[in-house]
Amino acid sequence: MADVRVISNSTVKTANHLASGGRIELNPWDLRALPLGYSQMGLLFSKPKEPMREKETGNTLIHHLKTSLSHTLDHFPLLAGRLATTQHEDDTVSFFVDCNNGGALFIHAAADGVTISDIIKPVYVPPIVHSFFSLNGLRGYEGITNPLLGIQITDLADGIFIGCTINHVVADGTSLWHFFNTWSEISKGSIQLSKPPVFQRWFPDGMDIPIRIPQSCVNFKQSNEDFIPPPVQDRVFHFSKETVAKLKAKANAEIGTNKISSLQALLSHIWRCVIRNRRVDPNQETSYRLVVGARQRLLELPDNFFGNALMPVIVTMKAKELMEQGIGNPAWQMNRKIAAMTEESFKNMLESWPASPSFTNLSNSNTLFTAGSPRFIMYGNDFGWGKPIAVRGGSSSKFDGMLRLLSGAKEGSIDLEACFSPQTLEAMVNDQEFMDTITI
C-alpha cells in the first residue's frame, strides 16, 4: 500500500485573537494523564462529488476546513495553547495550560491510490491508517513544546480522512468528540453552538492551586526509554443492536436482575472470549479496567465541561471463574463496581491525590482496558458533504488488551476496535462462540 505524502504543513490559530490569553489550572484528573499518549480518533468520508467551494472566494475544501477550524478554536482557545510549567523553590513543579494562541497543527496529506475499500474491507485495520494522524508518538507532558491539537486531512482516491489528535492532559474522550462535533457544526455553517464548552476545572475547597508535584515524580521520559511494546494488530468487530440486546437479556437472566446494562453484558462477553483464547491458566487472576465518567456524578461539573472527568475501576476475577460462570457474573461485578462510584468517591480521589501523586499506566499484560463510548456522537459529524462512513483510531496507546468502544453506523449497534497480539486475534476469529455474535 502506498505511503502517505504530506502536501502542506501549517499552524492554525484562533480567528479572533482576543479569544486567546489567560491560563487554565489543571486538576488531578488532568495531571494523571501526563505520561499518556495523545488521543487519536478519525472519520472516513466519501469524497465530495464536487470540490466544496466558498461562494465569496472560490477557495477549496482544505481552505474551508482550515478556516472553520480557526473559528472553532475561538470557542476552544486552550487547544490553540501549550502546556506550561512553573518550577518552585521546594523542588516541585506545577503544570497549567497557557492559552497563548501558539496554534494547532494542520496537515494536508495524500495517500495516492488508496481507496475507501482498502481501509474498511481488510480483516485487520491496515497500518497505513496510523499515518492518517499527526503528532504520532507524543505523550501528554510533551505538550510543553508541541501543539495540543493536531489535525490531518488525508486525500484518498475516492475519500477523505479527517484525523484528530488531542493531548490527553486537556481532554478525555467526551471532550475530544465535543470538539469534533462543534467543528463539524461550524464547518456546515452553524453560528449558534449547540453545546458551548466550559473549561473551568473544579477543585475541592481548601486545595492549594496550582497543585505542586515533586520533581522526582515527573521524570516520565526516563521511565519510558527502555520499554519496547510487543507487536499488535487492530480489528474492528461489529455488534448489531439485536445481538447486544440478547447479551444483555442473557446476563440479567443468569443473575436474576434487570440492572446489568447492554455495555456491561457486551464487555463481559468479550472478556471471557479473550481469556479463553489467550489460554490463561485457570487459577491466574485477570483484570478488566473500565473508566467511569464524573460529569453525571459530580454536581459541580456541567454536562458541557471540557477536560478530563474520569476515574478507573478495576474488576478482578480468576480465569476459571470467568469460564465457569457465564457472562452474568462478570457483568454483575462490573455493575457493582460502577454503582459504588459515587460523588463522594470522585471528590475523595481529587482531595487525596496531591499528597501522593500517581499517574495512569495503561499497559499491563494481565489487564484488558476499555476506552471510548458508543454514546459519543461519531456518525453525526457532517462537515458539509455528508456523514462519515467509518471511524478509526490512531496508533497512540495501542497495546495488547486495548479495546476502544465506538458507535456503530446503524443506530443501537456497537463497534469494538480491538488491539491484541496477532495470535490472540487469530484465535478469536476461530472461536465460533464469539464469531456467532459478530456482524460481518
Side-chain angles (χ1 to χ4, degrees):
M1 201 171 284
D3 293 331
V4 172
R5 172 174 55 89
V6 174
I7 298 172
S8 65
N9 186 322
S10 57
T11 299
V12 175
K13 301 190 177 187
T14 59
N16 176 7
H17 294 293
L18 295 178
S20 59
R23 60 187 277 165
I24 296 174
E25 302 294 349
L26 301 175
N27 70 14
W29 289 329
D30 304 310
L31 297 171
R32 282 171 53 87
L34 282 168
L36 292 184
Y38 279 47
S39 299
Q40 295 182 317
M41 294 304 302
L43 298 172
L44 178 64
F45 296 85
S46 295
K47 186 167 287 187
K49 294 180 180 179
E50 296 180 5
M52 183 187 292
R53 296 184 179 277
E54 293 181 285
K55 295 178 182 178
E56 298 84 1
T57 64
N59 284 317
T60 59
L61 172 62
I62 295 301
H63 180 81
H64 172 85
L65 289 174
K66 192 182 293 188
T67 301
S68 62
L69 174 62
S70 180
H71 287 294
T72 304
L73 290 175
D74 282 349
H75 304 280
F76 296 84
L78 88 167
L79 292 180
R82 298 290 184 271
L83 286 188
T85 60
T86 302
Q87 301 290 334
H88 302 282
E89 294 179 355
D90 58 354
D91 202 26
T92 61
V93 59
S94 55
F95 292 79
F96 63 96
V97 179
D98 182 2
C99 299
N100 59 6
N101 206 18
L105 175 64
F106 188 96
I107 293 176
H108 178 205
D112 299 318
V114 177
T115 66
I116 289 173
S117 291
D118 291 332
I119 302 305
I120 64 176
K121 292 298 184 183
V123 172
Y124 300 109
V125 177
I128 195 171
V129 170
H130 296 164
S131 300
F132 296 169
F133 295 87
S134 61
L135 304 175
N136 285 312
L138 292 183
R139 296 180 181 272
Y141 61 87
E142 295 178 273
I144 295 171
T145 54
N146 292 279
L148 301 181
L149 170 67
I151 298 296
Q152 182 170 317
I153 313 297
T154 305
D155 293 335
L156 309 181
D158 56 352
I160 293 173
F161 191 92
I162 300 180
C164 176
T165 302
I166 290 183
N167 191 307
H168 206 327
V169 175
V170 300
D172 56 16
T174 299
S175 295
L176 183 151
W177 287 107
H178 184 179
F179 163 76
F180 233 139
N181 301 157
T182 305
W183 182 21
S184 67
E185 283 182 3
I186 291 175
S187 175
K188 199 175 179 183
S190 294
I191 298 174
Q192 189 74 27
L193 298 191
S194 62
K195 193 176 179 181
V198 173
F199 302 105
Q200 185 64 44
R201 269 52 178 169
W202 184 80
F203 295 87
D205 292 340
M207 179 173 284
D208 292 332
I209 306 171
I211 295 174
R212 298 188 179 195
I213 306 172
Q215 188 69 52
S216 59
C217 293
V218 292
N219 294 325
F220 303 119
K221 186 174 182 180
Q222 181 178 351
S223 63
N224 286 312
E225 281 181 348
D226 300 328
F227 178 69
I228 301 175
V232 292
Q233 287 181 308
D234 296 342
R235 176 166 178 171
V236 177
F237 294 105
H238 307 277
F239 297 89
S240 69
K241 180 179 180 179
E242 293 74 21
T243 295
V244 173
K246 288 178 182 177
L247 289 172
K248 178 182 178 180
K250 181 181 179 182
N252 277 294
E254 289 179 3
I255 299 300
T257 183
N258 60 1
K259 294 183 178 180
I260 294 173
S261 71
S262 299
L263 203 52
Q264 291 158 7
L266 176 61
L267 296 183
S268 172
H269 170 63
I270 293 164
W271 189 9
R272 295 181 74 248
C273 170
V274 172
I275 297 306
R276 182 167 63 243
N277 287 290
R278 279 181 171 174
R279 303 188 184 280
V280 175
D281 183 289
N283 292 310
Q284 182 176 334
E285 287 197 336
T286 70
S287 299
Y288 206 125
R289 180 176 176 139
L290 309 155
V291 289
V292 180
R295 288 172 180 82
Q296 296 76 36
R297 292 172 173 83
L298 195 60
L299 296 177
E300 288 83 356
L301 279 185
D303 182 59
N304 55 344
F305 167 70
F306 189 95
N308 286 284
L310 299 171
M311 274 184 62
V313 296
I314 300 177
V315 182
T316 300
M317 298 180 68
K318 285 188 176 182
K320 63 181 180 183
E321 294 175 323
L322 276 173
M323 295 302 99
E324 294 170 357
Q325 299 180 16
I327 66 171
N329 188 45
W332 182 244
Q333 300 301 323
M334 292 179 185
N335 180 281
R336 294 299 84 199
K337 284 275 189 176
I338 294 170
M341 299 298 291
T342 62
E343 181 177 21
E344 185 179 359
S345 302
F346 284 94
K347 289 183 176 181
N348 286 342
M349 180 270 165
L350 289 176
E351 290 170 353
S352 62
W353 191 87
S356 182
S358 61
F359 300 91
T360 303
N361 178 18
L362 297 183
S363 54
N364 185 323
S365 60
N366 295 322
T367 302
L368 298 190
F369 181 87
T370 290
S373 170
R375 297 186 182 92
F376 296 154
I377 299 173
M378 301 178 188
Y379 286 92
N381 287 286
D382 183 348
F383 283 79
W385 67 92
K387 294 183 178 181
I389 56 178
V391 183
R392 292 292 184 269
S395 61
S396 181
S397 299
K398 289 293 178 69
F399 57 87
D400 187 3
M402 178 65 172
L403 301 159
R404 188 173 301 279
L405 290 163
L406 310 171
S407 61
K410 293 183 178 180
E411 185 179 354
S413 66
I414 297 176
D415 287 353
L416 184 80
E417 187 182 63
C419 181
F420 290 110
S421 70
Q423 295 83 359
T424 299
L425 276 178
E426 184 178 356
M428 290 172 67
V429 171
N430 292 321
D431 183 335
Q432 196 61 47
E433 180 183 337
F434 178 67
M435 293 305 293
D436 282 347
T437 63
I438 301 299
T439 302
I440 305 297

